[in-house]
Amino acid sequence: MNEQPTWASTAKAFVYLLPAFAIIAVFTMYPILSSLVMSFYTDYDFFNNEVYAYGFGNFVELATDPSFRTALLNTLIFVIGVVPASILISLVIAVLLNSNIKGIRFFRTSYFLPFVTSVVAVSIVWNWIYHSDYGLLNYGLGLFGIAPIDWLTDPAYAMPALIILCIWKGLGFNIVIFLAGLQGIDRNHILAAKIDGARGTRRFFHIIVPLLSSTTFFVTLITMISSFKVFDEVYALFSGRPGPANSALTVVYYVYQKFYSEWEFGLASAAAYVLFVIILLLTIVQIVVSKKLVHYQ
């Protein structure tokens, strides 16, 4: 029988939680609130930490900045390119890994390795794969008579190269989540469908996919948010540049440039909050839509 909470037990619980609250307050909440205030700095002396003017000037400047519009467009293209493909490929691989095939543990480990490998190491490997003269990818394309492609120096191919890398790197996490969802499905539903004569494809689309909708919703949400925040892969793949001719400039990279390279702290904070609002609105839309499409067992 559970004991009823008392003032003493509640105070004791808060004492245990106090270190965690303190860390969250100092390293998470304070920077978030500070950057929100900083986004309204229109005249700021960084060295003396004095603010001479406040206003919406940073947001107005963002609206007229061609670089920020490029960053927004590139980020949207990246999200559209990564999220659907990543979810579809992850689901297919998870279904295969959930079946009784030989060497299942080896394949599960292999697919998860990219997720736990550092971005720098992954980018070094993909720099070699994308190399225009000695790269593995161009060698494979050459077998089909396709001329070598300058994946990392041609603005037309920089974004596809980044999307391919990020899809490959993020597969492991999504596959693990989908595997957990698949193994949580009650086998009696599938057995009942088999008895009724439903074939594999029909069982997948009419039983597994609906019962997996809550997992799919979670994976979609997480993948979308992480895709909007892409930065490490851009920085490492293009050697600290946002791709040739800003072809891989994303919003987070724009924030990095403004904050650390140009010291425009107010503008960088404003750009970060524009990204935050975009992610928040899309998340709300997903949650509203999910109430009609997502089924919980």
Side-chain angles (χ1 to χ4, degrees):
M1 184 176 177
N2 294 328
E3 296 181 0
Q4 293 295 324
T6 62
W7 286 106
S9 64
T10 304
K12 187 177 180 181
F14 273 111
V15 170
Y16 282 122
L17 292 172
L18 191 58
F21 284 149
I23 292 172
I24 292 172
V26 173
F27 295 104
T28 303
M29 298 309 298
Y30 176 72
I32 289 174
L33 295 176
S34 294
S35 62
L36 176 61
V37 175
M38 190 176 286
S39 66
F40 295 101
Y41 290 179
T42 54
D43 191 358
Y44 176 51
D45 183 353
F46 169 73
F47 296 102
N48 297 314
N49 193 26
E50 292 185 15
V51 183
Y52 301 110
Y54 293 89
F56 292 91
N58 293 319
F59 295 96
V60 174
E61 187 174 343
L62 284 178
T64 57
D65 187 353
S67 295
F68 184 69
R69 289 202 294 271
T70 300
L72 265 181
L73 180 62
N74 286 342
T75 304
L76 290 175
I77 292 172
F78 177 81
V79 172
I80 293 171
V82 168
V83 176
S86 178
I87 292 170
L88 184 62
I89 296 171
S90 302
L91 178 59
V92 171
I93 295 175
V95 170
L96 293 174
L97 293 180
N98 196 44
S99 59
N100 295 321
I101 60 175
K102 290 184 179 179
I104 192 72
R105 293 182 179 177
F106 168 76
F107 288 115
R108 287 178 179 175
T109 306
S110 301
Y111 281 112
F112 195 69
L113 274 178
F115 182 72
V116 296
T117 306
S118 77
V119 175
V120 175
V122 167
S123 298
I124 290 172
V125 173
W126 279 90
N127 259 293
W128 170 70
I129 292 174
Y130 285 138
H131 197 283
S132 56
D133 295 326
Y134 314 107
L136 183 64
L137 191 54
N138 277 343
Y139 174 77
L141 293 175
L143 298 177
F144 298 95
I146 301 174
I149 296 173
D150 295 327
W151 291 97
L152 301 180
T153 55
D154 188 337
Y157 293 99
M159 181 56 74
L162 179 65
I163 289 173
I164 292 170
L165 183 152
C166 291
I167 290 174
W168 176 81
K169 190 174 186 315
L171 282 180
F173 177 79
N174 291 346
I175 289 171
V176 168
I177 301 298
F178 273 127
L179 268 175
L182 287 169
Q183 292 173 2
I185 294 176
D186 190 346
R187 305 300 298 176
N188 289 329
H189 296 302
I190 299 174
L191 290 174
K194 283 183 179 178
I195 293 172
D196 290 340
R199 295 184 177 180
T201 307
R202 199 166 184 178
R203 290 199 301 272
F204 177 77
F205 285 106
H206 292 276
I207 296 176
I208 293 177
V209 170
L211 291 177
L212 208 59
S213 57
S214 59
T215 306
T216 307
F217 169 66
F218 173 76
V219 171
T220 304
L221 201 62
I222 296 298
T223 306
M224 184 201 72
I225 293 173
S226 63
S227 298
F228 268 109
K229 298 188 300 179
V230 63
F231 169 76
D232 297 356
E233 291 81 356
V234 178
Y235 191 90
L237 185 63
F238 298 104
S239 305
R241 297 178 297 110
N246 282 344
S247 55
L249 176 66
T250 60
V251 175
V252 176
Y253 198 100
Y254 178 90
V255 172
Y256 166 79
Q257 276 186 330
K258 294 299 176 186
F259 199 97
Y260 291 102
S261 301
E262 302 176 17
W263 291 20
E264 295 190 34
F265 306 111
L267 196 62
S269 300
Y273 269 90
V274 170
L275 180 64
F276 167 75
V277 170
I278 292 172
I279 294 175
L280 178 65
L281 292 176
L282 290 176
T283 303
I284 292 173
V285 170
Q286 281 188 295
I287 292 173
V288 171
V289 173
S290 72
K291 291 181 179 178
K292 296 181 180 179
L293 300 179
V294 175
H295 305 281
Y296 295 94
Q297 295 186 64

